[in-house]
Amino acid sequence: MHRYLSLLIHGHSRTQRLQDNCGQHTPSPGDIVLLVFPTFPALPNPAYLDQVCSVCQKREDSISAWSVLQSGGSVLDAVEKGCARCEIEQCDGSVGYGGSPDESGETTLDAMIMNGDTMDVGAVADLRRIKNAIGVARAVMERTDHTLLVGESASVFAENMGFIAEDLTTNRSLNTFSQWLKGNCQPNYRKNVFPDPSISCGPYKPRVTLQRRKRVRHMYRHSHDTIGMIAFSQDGHVAAGTSTNGLMHKVPGRVGDSPIVGAGAYADSSAGAAAATGDGDVMMRFLPSYLAVELMRAGADPSAACETAISRIKRHHSEFFGAIICANTTGHYGAACNKSPGFSKFQYMVRDSKSDTPVLKSVDCI
């Protein structure tokens, strides 16, 4: 599956056009950059860019966020609006309602939003009945002292905050679930249980002995994705956000990397920002977005920071599926992905003031 990033750049004339393939950008003062997927923090100096990043196959999410910035809205508003658009449009079936049913056939949502200036964060996971997950995440940040709410209690909180309770199931998700049951519940994510999960549905019981085995790679590349978005303003504000309906046929209650600070995304206006997509169960163990930002803080350029974050995971999981995009406070950015069967390039979109629509770019996986 293609992983798309949108990069929108608006402002003064450029000193250098974006380079194809390598993903490295040299900004000019006054540029406003909107990147779709990762996160880029900003510093209050004239060399700093406004940026927004988001991961989704559709362009409308980045356009929505871009319009917020152009109209004078805040970076938090831009991130929320961009992610919410993707939730409504059910980007690739992997964001929003009606996608990625779990073992019980239910669609649940994860989301996170982060303020790179204050380091405030709001997140929700295993959210039921509420379509606007990114909006609920922002409510957690602004209406509570907490960082993360999960499950049924998160849904009740959302309803109390005025969000409308709706069925997240659609005919499409019901059909997906039905076909999965007919196929003996394959694939699934169980191990060390009986009956044998590789050939049978549950209910499952634990085996007496644990068997260590190589992790089975059976991710749905066409239905497991995240929209990750970051935004920068000209006066140095930055925000990051993510939204997803998670991994198809996941064990009920599973939470991936998207709502986890430092895993799905991370923003710090004093250093930079990053966002990741891929196999969240593996990637969240390494906090790649946080690592990349800290590497940039120490002086690494964004491309090198991205590659190091990917390489660290690769040492333990050589064939994991994942990608990351990074940007620093000077507006430079880069991306990296892990080369695995069926995944050799990471694609993202670029838009600047000289183009009417986003332009597709790519980086070769390592």
Side-chain angles (χ1 to χ4, degrees), residues 4 8 91:
Y4 289 101
L8 294 83
C91 293

PDB file of all heavy atoms in Angstrom, residues 4 8 91:
ATOM      1  N   TYR A   4       0.892   7.980   1.771  1.00  0.00           N
ATOM      2  CA  TYR A   4       0.976   9.315   1.196  1.00  0.00           C
ATOM      3  C   TYR A   4       1.180  10.368   2.258  1.00  0.00           C
ATOM      4  O   TYR A   4       0.552  10.347   3.297  1.00  0.00           O
ATOM      5  CB  TYR A   4      -0.292   9.637   0.410  1.00  0.00           C
ATOM      6  CG  TYR A   4      -0.412   8.863  -0.857  1.00  0.00           C
ATOM      7  CD1 TYR A   4      -1.233   7.756  -0.931  1.00  0.00           C
ATOM      8  CD2 TYR A   4       0.317   9.240  -1.979  1.00  0.00           C
ATOM      9  CE1 TYR A   4      -1.339   7.043  -2.108  1.00  0.00           C
ATOM     10  CE2 TYR A   4       0.208   8.530  -3.158  1.00  0.00           C
ATOM     11  CZ  TYR A   4      -0.620   7.432  -3.212  1.00  0.00           C
ATOM     12  OH  TYR A   4      -0.732   6.725  -4.375  1.00  0.00           O
ATOM     13  N   LEU A   8       2.472  20.997   1.776  1.00  0.00           N
ATOM     14  CA  LEU A   8       2.023  22.217   1.131  1.00  0.00           C
ATOM     15  C   LEU A   8       2.902  23.357   1.567  1.00  0.00           C
ATOM     16  O   LEU A   8       3.159  23.542   2.745  1.00  0.00           O
ATOM     17  CB  LEU A   8       0.573  22.533   1.504  1.00  0.00           C
ATOM     18  CG  LEU A   8      -0.476  21.551   0.993  1.00  0.00           C
ATOM     19  CD1 LEU A   8      -0.557  20.367   1.925  1.00  0.00           C
ATOM     20  CD2 LEU A   8      -1.828  22.224   0.914  1.00  0.00           C
ATOM     21  N   CYS A  91     -10.531   7.759   4.925  1.00  0.00           N
ATOM     22  CA  CYS A  91      -9.347   7.622   4.078  1.00  0.00           C
ATOM     23  C   CYS A  91      -8.855   6.177   4.009  1.00  0.00           C
ATOM     24  O   CYS A  91      -8.438   5.601   5.016  1.00  0.00           O
ATOM     25  CB  CYS A  91      -8.224   8.517   4.600  1.00  0.00           C
ATOM     26  SG  CYS A  91      -8.582  10.273   4.451  1.00  0.00           S
TER      27      CYS A  91
END
